[in-house]
Amino acid sequence: MEKRVKTGGMLLISLIAGLFIYGYFYFRPGKSPLVSAKAPVPVNAGDLIGLSDKDEALFNHQYLYKILSVRGVVRKVKKNKGGITVLLGGGPALPEFVSCTLDTLYNSRQPELHIGDSCTIQGNCAGCLKDVILLQCIIEK
């Protein structure tokens, strides 16, 4: 019985030490997941919407969980409890949008976007339901 307690204690201490080492290297200060990410994938909003409607498996393979730089026309700017959401459209014939939830840095000041403006927004692709969803977005200049 005493041997089991010693072995269990050593395993527990090893596990805790491993978690501390992992945490130190993965969550160290100055390391940001977006900074270490690869360059964003440039894509047009209309092409993105079209591919999500036509072939969801290919869409997921090419764009899901990647940083995208999406160019499109602003169709609507909504402010809600979660922050500011910009809807980018690819063209007048497409009823779907690219829904871009802006990063929290835009909560204190409204971005200078108006309906009909052409802009490029960079964000993390979270998938598609009816619309393509981008999270943690920033407006590119």
Side-chain angles (χ1 to χ4, degrees):
M1 181 73 168
E2 190 175 306
K3 187 176 180 181
R4 280 187 179 172
V5 172
K6 285 183 181 180
T7 305
M10 291 301 292
L11 286 174
L12 183 63
I13 290 172
S14 299
L15 177 66
I16 291 172
L19 288 174
F20 276 119
I21 291 170
Y22 172 78
Y24 173 76
F25 285 108
Y26 190 75
F27 296 109
R28 67 179 170 233
K31 182 180 180 228
S32 172
L34 288 177
V35 172
S36 63
K38 295 179 182 177
V41 177
V43 65
N44 187 355
D47 297 339
L48 192 63
I49 294 167
L51 184 61
S52 71
D53 288 342
K54 189 168 79 173
D55 190 356
E56 190 174 346
L58 181 60
F59 171 84
N60 289 340
H61 177 69
Q62 287 183 343
Y63 300 117
L64 190 62
Y65 306 125
K66 294 184 181 168
I67 305 294
L68 304 181
S69 179
V70 181
R71 180 145 187 86
V73 178
V74 176
R75 298 292 181 211
K76 193 171 189 180
V77 178
K78 301 187 299 187
K79 185 166 184 157
N80 51 25
K81 290 182 182 180
I84 299 171
T85 302
V86 177
L87 298 179
L88 292 181
L94 294 172
E96 293 90 7
F97 300 102
V98 178
S99 175
C100 307
T101 302
L102 297 180
D103 195 56
T104 56
L105 66 101
Y106 294 101
N107 286 351
S108 61
R109 59 182 170 86
Q110 182 82 15
E112 292 294 323
L113 291 176
H114 303 286
I115 295 173
D117 288 350
S118 180
C119 72
T120 304
I121 295 181
Q122 182 177 334
N124 188 4
C125 181
C128 62
L129 298 172
K130 179 181 180 250
D131 299 331
V132 177
I133 300 168
L134 297 182
L135 301 175
Q136 297 174 329
C137 298
I138 57 171
I139 300 168
E140 293 182 357
K141 302 252 180 212

